[in-house]
Amino acid sequence: MEISTKKITIAIDGHSSCGKSTVAKDVAKELGYTYIDSGAMYRTVTLFCIQNHLIQGDTVDEHKLRALMDSIHIHFTFNANTEHYITWLNHQVVEEKIRTIEVSDQVSLVSKIGFVREKMVKLQQELGKDGGIVMDGRDIGTVVFPDAELKIFMTASSEVRAQRRYAELLSGGHKVTLLEVKENIEKRDFIDANREIAPLRQADDAVVLDNSYLTKEEQLQKIIDLVNERTK
Ligand code: DC
């Protein structure tokens, strides 16, 4: 693949489980860029809330969480041998723990809290300040990097997305049903798109990529073509 040497910022937003992180990792690898999974940050704060019993039913104890925000330190490492990105909460690897259905079920409650978003956005902007970054999430092109040179808005039908996530969870040994996964995805789509702060929406200058019927390779090629256009 022919690739330009100018390093840009690539924002990939879109619905839950439409393969944003897979394609974002592939793009980062192809370009020699850094990949940042912003959803992992919200998942990590959610895990912290669960571990500290800050969620009762559908309510997060925002008062306690606010007081504890400074004790939440999130960072990422990359294992070049396995090509895996690893998420850390303080001194603990939480990569597996943040992918459970329990965290997926609660994450929308935590990611709609203003002070949580503020801290995560700051961290994301800091990580991406030098460019050469691919970041995926819900508000990357609209809030985190409104000046990103390339913005992609990814989507796929909820059936296709549920199938993919279900297969992923099963292969990771998680016990769930396809229906549970589909309901979780649709619920998160609704909350993400309807929350007050930084709702999921397509940036005006984003390129829409519906990958329901695209292979991994086709998606990657489409994005690399767009990068080449932007860096010419
Ligand atoms: O990308 P993901 O499914 O791992 O993200 C987990 C949740 O975090 C998702 O339900 C919405 C939220 N999120 C967000 O609000 N803003 C982001 N930039 C990324 C994720």
Side-chain angles (χ1 to χ4, degrees):
M1 249 178 235
E2 205 181 310
I3 288 163
S4 158
T5 50
K6 184 184 161 206
K7 295 216 163 185
I8 62 168
T9 297
I10 304 173
I12 303 184
D13 289 304
H15 294 108
S16 294
S17 304
C18 65
K20 294 186 296 296
S21 65
T22 305
V23 77
K25 279 178 209 160
D26 287 350
V27 171
K29 185 176 170 193
E30 192 69 32
L31 299 175
Y33 281 22
T34 302
Y35 163 66
I36 302 288
D37 175 355
S38 71
M41 298 182 186
Y42 293 100
R43 286 174 178 273
T44 303
V45 180
T46 306
L47 178 69
F48 178 89
C49 289
I50 294 171
Q51 288 177 338
N52 289 279
H53 314 289
L54 302 181
I55 306 179
Q56 299 295 333
D58 272 356
T59 310
V60 181
D61 187 336
E62 293 193 26
H63 187 72
K64 276 199 191 139
L65 177 58
R66 189 193 282 274
L68 290 169
M69 278 314 278
D70 284 346
S71 62
I72 301 178
H73 301 283
I74 300 170
H75 75 278
F76 299 102
T77 51
F78 178 63
N79 182 330
N81 292 326
T82 58
E83 295 189 346
H84 283 167
Y85 290 83
I86 298 153
T87 310
W88 294 73
L89 167 59
N90 298 328
H91 300 293
Q92 243 199 336
V93 171
V94 292
E95 192 49 44
E96 290 285 314
K97 289 187 180 143
I98 61 170
R99 309 286 166 194
T100 60
I101 196 92
E102 188 189 9
V103 169
S104 299
D105 267 342
Q106 321 261 26
V107 64
S108 300
L109 298 173
V110 174
S111 61
K112 68 179 182 191
I113 300 173
F115 62 83
V116 171
R117 300 205 71 82
E118 228 168 80
K119 177 163 170 163
M120 297 306 115
V121 168
K122 262 195 205 132
L123 181 57
Q124 290 151 11
Q125 289 172 334
E126 178 60 30
L127 290 169
K129 68 181 188 321
D130 298 327
I133 191 149
V134 186
M135 192 176 293
D136 73 328
R138 305 293 188 286
D139 60 343
I140 310 305
T142 51
V143 175
V144 182
F145 297 120
D147 299 327
E149 288 89 345
L150 177 59
K151 299 177 187 176
I152 308 281
F153 189 83
M154 273 182 67
T155 190
S157 72
S158 62
E159 284 74 21
V160 168
R161 289 186 281 139
Q163 279 289 354
R164 288 179 188 157
R165 188 65 152 203
Y166 177 62
E168 203 177 278
L169 285 166
L170 280 195
S171 73
H174 298 280
K175 287 201 170 56
V176 282
T177 65
L178 180 59
L179 185 66
E180 272 177 320
V181 177
K182 186 163 178 280
E183 282 176 355
N184 172 264
I185 285 175
E186 287 172 351
K187 185 173 157 203
R188 281 199 288 149
D189 281 353
F190 182 83
I191 299 178
D192 291 346
N194 291 285
R195 69 179 170 223
E196 238 166 80
I197 309 166
L200 170 67
R201 69 170 180 80
Q202 187 190 322
D204 297 337
D205 49 350
V207 179
V208 178
L209 190 65
D210 182 331
N211 71 0
S212 302
Y213 304 105
L214 290 180
T215 64
K216 230 166 107 68
E217 291 71 27
E218 286 167 337
Q219 290 177 70
L220 175 63
Q221 188 58 58
K222 274 186 191 287
I223 298 180
I224 297 297
D225 290 346
L226 289 165
V227 171
N228 284 335
E229 266 174 34
R230 303 292 197 278
T231 52
K232 238 186 241 154

